[in-house]
Amino acid sequence: MPHVYDHPRAALTVDCVVFGFDGGELQALLIRRGLPPFKDTWALPGGFVRVEETLDEAARRELEEENGLRNVFLEQLYTFGSVHRDPRERVVSIAYFALVKPEAVAAATDAAEAKWFPVSDLPTLAFDHAEILTTALSRLRGKLTYQPIGFELLPRKFTLTQLQRLYEAVLGHHLDKRNFRKKVLSLDLLTPLEESRQEGPHRPAQLFRFDPERSDRLKERGFLFE
Amino acid sequence: MPHVYDHPRAALTVDCVVFGFDGGELQALLIRRGLPPFKDTWALPGGFVRVEETLDEAARRELEEENGLRNVFLEQLYTFGSVHRDPRERVVSIAYFALVKPEAVAAATDAAEAKWFPVSDLPTLAFDHAEILTTALSRLRGKLTYQPIGFELLPRKFTLTQLQRLYEAVLGHHLDKRNFRKKVLSLDLLTPLEESRQEGPHRPAQLFRFDPERSDRLKERGFLFE
DNA sequence: TGACATAGTGTGTGTTTTACACTTAATTGT
DNA sequence: ACAATTAAGTGTAAAACACACACTATGTCA
């Protein structure tokens, strides 16, 4: 396709902030750059948008190519367009954030040069990726309190304690067990399973799964956590 | 600057959803296109991003050039990247939403081919601009309930009734007068002025102004309307 | 079988939200 | 000058929700 509009053009990339949860800390997936600029520095997975794919498609393609990730929760975050974010030329980047279930975390780690870092202890990042990551983190915190997306970071079957640990890790403070359980169950989003999980020398925990159908009903009204 | 990264490239535009409030209905500012594609169709103000300006700068420049608007509240909304949103070639658009005080509304209307439309009665729009506008509207609704931005659509001095009308227009339902006033005043964002406004055969109304300093204190904690 | 560890549960108190109706102060017309 | 009109401004009681708080239940393991 020829350039109908004739200007010097910025290059377009997508960058993905991929969050995972290991049961204790919130983690972000980074990739070590093999080429300059910022060779050998950690960076967000991402790459150029092709002229025949949408932005979402570009983000999903990069996640699959670079990290072997499929079917993750993915949402557009913000578009970063500082003039000199890339030292070589003008590059505008549409940032996404992704939430990955533990089942998929292993796959991601297999990918060459990809590694999970706890968000509390990140290495120096290339470009403006530290800023992007900070933006993603505050968006995640915000969303967690008014939309049921925490489940995207947990295995399909999980206990209420796991869910509470996740909320505590992301929000950064302790929650009261009884109030948390009362609140979560009152939202009527979880289906208790027959099974329970035995893990250690103590009473086994009831397993639940998230019920997206119930969630849809709720989404419109909105809910509020905390 | 040469193209270091060598691909076919999308063109980059910004489009602005500009909201205003006339005391009764929420309004959006549109421009009649003078050139194809969609010649003579109404569209959002916007244009190409120059290679040496940031995205925010591009949005502000277009608002000033096309509508004579300066110093408006402006926030990035979402980036639209469907492959065929522009019939001629690939164009990715970073959408913004802007809130304009009535003092500036007149200026905007003077601009050639620009006109305010009530959002409840919009003409057919060019490109995917109807979708962008819908997105902006739902963002505005959302933000209004948890951030003090309503003031950006009112004159510097306003009455509580004006503020209530604005909330009712945007949210689309009636609010109880006493509860509204109690809630708004409890947020401690408004400074009562010495003056009052006489307007019609009835008791005059107390004027207030929004106090951004107090608002900053509040912003961190967040507040909740409704 | 006892020690241990996490799961699971209820109540009382203070705060917030909601529903609801009359008085006040100005203008206008007679 | 006063009666009618119009929107401004004000309080309270009941219900819902948020928060603080501590013990019992059920499994494993030595």
Side-chain angles (χ1 to χ4, degrees):
Chain A
M1 202 154 30
H3 283 185
V4 176
Y5 307 109
D6 199 18
H7 310 86
R9 295 184 172 208
L12 254 199
T13 60
V14 289
D15 286 305
C16 301
V17 181
V18 185
F19 289 116
F21 183 63
D22 67 356
E25 270 199 279
L26 187 67
Q27 312 271 328
L29 185 62
L30 300 176
I31 288 198
R32 189 189 284 275
R33 287 180 60 82
L35 296 170
F38 296 100
K39 180 158 156 40
D40 297 325
T41 305
W42 293 97
L44 298 173
F48 291 98
V49 177
R50 296 182 184 160
V51 84
E52 79 290 348
E53 70 187 353
T54 66
L55 306 173
D56 288 22
E57 284 163 4
R60 289 192 187 278
R61 177 179 53 72
E62 292 289 349
L63 285 180
E64 177 150 13
E65 286 177 10
E66 296 192 342
N67 305 301
L69 288 172
R70 308 190 59 166
N71 297 323
V72 298
F73 173 93
L74 185 72
E75 186 176 291
Q76 190 184 303
L77 173 63
Y78 194 80
T79 298
F80 292 82
S82 300
V83 176
H84 300 292
R85 18 180 330 277
D86 187 307
R88 292 167 298 178
E89 66 158 322
R90 182 75 192 279
V91 179
V92 169
S93 180
I94 295 105
Y96 278 78
F97 83 95
L99 304 181
V100 173
K101 290 175 183 284
E103 291 93 329
V105 163
T109 318
D110 294 343
E113 304 298 338
K115 197 179 154 199
W116 292 96
F117 291 84
V119 295
S120 61
D121 188 24
L122 294 169
T124 300
L125 297 184
F127 305 103
D128 56 355
H129 288 187
E131 183 190 353
I132 297 178
L133 211 146
T134 303
T135 306
L137 195 54
S138 78
R139 174 87 140 252
L140 175 61
R141 289 207 178 100
K143 275 196 102 89
L144 208 57
T145 65
Y146 66 90
Q147 280 185 23
I149 58 166
F151 314 102
E152 301 291 342
L153 287 166
L154 291 178
R156 223 181 63 255
K157 304 171 181 183
F158 55 86
T159 68
L160 292 182
T161 300
Q162 283 181 287
L163 185 61
Q164 185 178 346
R165 295 263 176 287
L166 168 62
Y167 270 79
E168 288 175 338
V170 174
L171 299 180
H173 55 84
H174 173 78
L175 297 170
D176 178 81
K177 180 155 74 157
R178 280 179 287 192
N179 293 337
F180 180 83
R181 295 162 98 93
K182 206 187 313 171
K183 178 83 174 242
V184 167
L185 292 175
S186 78
L187 296 174
D188 194 36
L189 289 171
L190 303 185
T191 308
L193 303 174
E194 302 296 301
E195 325 160 54
S196 56
R197 166 170 306 160
Q198 187 60 50
E199 197 169 56
H202 52 81
R203 182 170 174 177
Q206 174 68 247
L207 284 169
F208 293 84
R209 73 178 158 76
F210 171 62
D211 189 334
E213 199 174 304
R214 297 188 187 182
S215 157
D216 290 343
R217 271 183 274 137
L218 191 61
K219 249 177 212 163
E220 266 320 291
R221 293 185 284 138
F223 81 99
L224 226 334
F225 201 89
E226 301 255 286
Chain B
M1 200 153 31
H3 283 183
V4 176
Y5 306 110
D6 199 16
H7 309 86
R9 295 184 172 206
L12 255 199
T13 59
V14 289
D15 286 305
C16 301
V17 181
V18 184
F19 290 115
F21 183 63
D22 68 356
E25 270 202 278
L26 187 66
Q27 313 271 328
L29 185 63
L30 301 175
I31 287 196
R32 189 190 284 276
R33 287 181 59 83
L35 296 171
F38 296 99
K39 181 159 158 34
D40 297 326
T41 305
W42 294 97
L44 298 173
F48 290 98
V49 177
R50 296 183 183 158
V51 84
E52 78 290 349
E53 70 187 353
T54 66
L55 307 173
D56 288 21
E57 283 163 4
R60 289 192 187 279
R61 177 179 52 73
E62 292 289 349
L63 285 180
E64 178 149 12
E65 286 178 9
E66 297 192 341
N67 305 302
L69 289 171
R70 307 190 59 167
N71 297 323
V72 299
F73 174 93
L74 185 72
E75 186 175 291
Q76 191 185 302
L77 173 63
Y78 195 81
T79 298
F80 292 82
S82 300
V83 176
H84 300 293
R85 21 183 324 280
D86 188 306
R88 292 167 299 180
E89 68 158 321
R90 183 74 193 279
V91 180
V92 169
S93 180
I94 295 105
Y96 278 78
F97 82 96
L99 304 180
V100 173
K101 290 176 183 283
E103 290 94 329
V105 162
T109 318
D110 293 343
E113 303 297 336
K115 197 179 153 199
W116 292 95
F117 291 84
V119 295
S120 61
D121 188 24
L122 294 168
T124 300
L125 297 183
F127 305 104
D128 56 355
H129 288 188
E131 183 190 351
I132 297 178
L133 210 148
T134 302
T135 306
L137 195 54
S138 80
R139 175 86 139 251
L140 176 61
R141 288 208 179 99
K143 276 197 102 92
L144 208 58
T145 65
Y146 64 90
Q147 281 185 23
I149 58 165
F151 314 103
E152 302 290 342
L153 287 166
L154 291 179
R156 225 181 62 257
K157 304 172 181 181
F158 55 86
T159 69
L160 292 182
T161 300
Q162 283 181 287
L163 185 62
Q164 185 179 344
R165 295 265 176 285
L166 167 63
Y167 270 80
E168 289 175 338
V170 174
L171 300 178
H173 57 81
H174 174 79
L175 298 170
D176 178 82
K177 181 157 74 158
R178 280 179 287 195
N179 293 338
F180 180 83
R181 295 160 99 93
K182 205 186 312 168
K183 179 80 175 245
V184 167
L185 292 175
S186 78
L187 295 174
D188 195 34
L189 290 171
L190 303 185
T191 308
L193 303 175
E194 302 297 302
E195 324 159 57
S196 55
R197 166 172 305 162
Q198 187 59 50
E199 196 167 56
H202 51 81
R203 183 171 174 176
Q206 174 69 247
L207 284 169
F208 293 84
R209 71 179 159 76
F210 171 62
D211 189 335
E213 200 175 303
R214 297 187 187 180
S215 158
D216 289 343
R217 271 183 273 137
L218 191 62
K219 250 178 211 161
E220 266 321 291
R221 293 185 283 138
F223 81 101
L224 225 336
F225 201 89
E226 299 258 286

